[in-house]
Amino acid sequence: MKNTNKINNINQLFEEAKIYAQNNDIEYIVLFAKGVENVLKLNKMLKGSGINLVVTTFPSNQVLYLENEDGDIEENYPEILDSENISILEEEGISLVSSTLPLEPIITPGTNNNPYSIIKMTLDLIGEGTSLAVQSALMTVDNGYIKPTTRVLSLISGLAVDLETTNSRFLFHPEKGLKINHVIK
C-alpha cells in the first residue's frame, strides 16, 4: 500500500493502519500511549478484524515532565497507568506493557552519556518518532507479549512502522534482528 497522503490526525492513522494491517496479513498492532481514549478508539475499530492490539507505555511510577499552559514544567504520570484505566483495559481484553524503553539511558547525574542515542537518531532519520515505534515493538517481545520475528504494525501519533520484531539484545543480529519493512507517515 503506497501512502500518498500525509497522516493528519489520529483517526486517519488508525484507519490507514487497520487497512494496511488487513492488506498485509499483520496480526498485531502495537500502540504506544499515555492515555486510554485513543486506545479504546483503536480497539473499537479493530473489533472483528482479527487484528490484536497490544499497548505499550512508560514504566510504572515514572514521572513525565510536561509544560503546562503557563509554560511551567509540571510532574505528570501517564493516565493509562491509573488503576481505573488498567481495569478498563483488562475488561476490554487489551494487553498493556508498562516497561522501560529499550534505548533510554540510565540517568547518571553530571553526565550526558547515552550509547543508544546514535541508534535513536539514526532511526529518526527515517521519520520523526521511528525510534519510539521501534522501541515500543521491542518492549512487546522483551516482556513476552509477542514472539520474536512476528510482523507487527507499530503506531505512535502520526506514524506507523511495519516491522518484524526481535528482542532488544538481538536488535542488530544478522538473522534474528529487527527488520523494518515500511514506514507510513
Side-chain angles (χ1 to χ4, degrees):
M1 177 177 163
K2 195 171 193 176
N3 182 26
T4 55
N5 299 325
K6 182 175 170 74
I7 301 290
N8 294 314
N9 61 51
I10 200 74
N11 294 327
Q12 183 183 4
L13 175 68
F14 289 170
E15 189 59 41
E16 289 204 27
K18 178 183 175 185
I19 292 167
Y20 184 91
Q22 288 173 320
N23 290 342
N24 290 279
D25 297 319
I26 296 174
E27 186 180 346
Y28 291 95
I29 289 182
V30 177
L31 175 64
F32 190 88
K34 292 186 291 187
V36 294
E37 181 181 343
N38 287 330
V39 171
L40 296 174
K41 183 184 297 183
L42 179 56
N43 190 55
K44 185 176 181 179
M45 289 177 72
L46 295 177
K47 290 276 189 215
S49 69
I51 301 168
N52 299 298
L53 177 60
V54 179
V55 177
T56 59
T57 194
F58 300 97
S60 296
N61 304 313
Q62 179 171 315
V63 177
L64 303 177
Y65 297 96
L66 303 172
E67 189 174 340
N68 66 20
E69 295 166 355
D70 299 325
D72 298 324
I73 302 297
E74 293 181 343
E75 287 186 1
N76 292 281
Y77 294 90
E79 86 174 44
I80 200 166
L81 293 172
D82 290 342
S83 59
E84 182 179 314
N85 290 330
I86 290 172
S87 294
I88 291 169
L89 296 178
E90 287 172 352
E91 287 172 14
E92 290 291 321
I94 301 169
S95 297
L96 176 64
V97 181
S98 172
S99 176
T100 301
L101 293 165
L103 302 178
E104 287 300 306
I106 295 172
I107 296 172
T108 309
T111 68
N112 193 16
N113 296 334
N114 176 7
Y116 301 117
S117 64
I118 192 76
I119 298 169
K120 288 171 53 176
M121 288 187 290
T122 302
L123 287 169
D124 285 336
L125 287 173
I126 297 168
E128 186 177 340
T130 303
S131 65
L132 182 56
V134 166
Q135 290 180 87
S136 182
L138 294 172
M139 289 164 61
T140 66
V141 175
D142 290 346
N143 288 282
Y145 288 84
I146 296 177
K147 292 182 179 181
T149 72
T150 301
R151 188 173 177 193
V152 304
L153 193 59
S154 185
L155 281 59
I156 62 164
S157 70
L159 181 84
V161 180
D162 170 358
L163 55 85
E164 293 171 39
T165 59
T166 188
N167 67 37
S168 297
R169 290 190 57 223
F170 285 158
L171 183 63
F172 296 118
H173 191 280
E175 296 164 11
K176 299 176 183 180
L178 178 79
K179 292 181 181 122
I180 296 176
N181 299 314
H182 188 75
V183 176
I184 303 166
K185 52 183 174 172

